[in-house]
Amino acid sequence: MTQPALPRPARGARRLSDLTWVALILSGLGLALAFMSGAGLPIAAGGTVCALSALRRRPEDSPWPYVAVATGSVGTVLALILAIVTAVEWLPRLPELLVG
């Protein structure tokens, strides 16, 4: 029994650049990890930087770098807010946790 042929991409179909893929992955992962007391802050910020770089280098990848910029920015702001809230909540209790 033969398998049906898989559809091939059209000739001249464009591919997203590797930098755009990295930006999308980092931004999404940073947004998901932002809810863990701000742990996604550096990842989301890195995704935003990669997305801005991808916008400059490959403007034809649009709209995906814009999606990555928006996702990374939301993740960065959310992670920063949650990190501040966590620090304000836990720093006063830290001495009694360390001393016992």
Side-chain angles (χ1 to χ4, degrees), residues 4-100:
L6 296 174
R8 300 177 90 182
R11 211 170 240 215
R14 63 172 208 210
R15 278 186 31 155
L16 293 178
S17 69
D18 291 339
L19 188 58
T20 302
W21 278 111
V22 169
L24 286 167
I25 291 168
L26 287 178
S27 295
L29 189 62
L31 180 61
L33 291 176
F35 293 100
M36 295 174 53
S37 300
L41 179 62
I43 298 170
T48 304
V49 169
C50 286
L52 290 171
S53 179
L55 271 173
R56 286 183 150 241
R57 291 185 185 185
R58 294 270 309 256
E60 63 270 10
D61 281 353
S62 190
W64 295 110
Y66 289 113
V67 171
V69 167
T71 305
S73 298
V74 169
T76 300
V77 170
L78 186 63
L80 186 61
I81 290 170
L82 289 175
I84 291 170
V85 168
T86 302
V88 167
E89 183 68 27
W90 282 97
L91 283 180
R93 296 181 182 157
L94 189 62
E96 59 189 55
L97 288 174
L98 293 176
V99 175

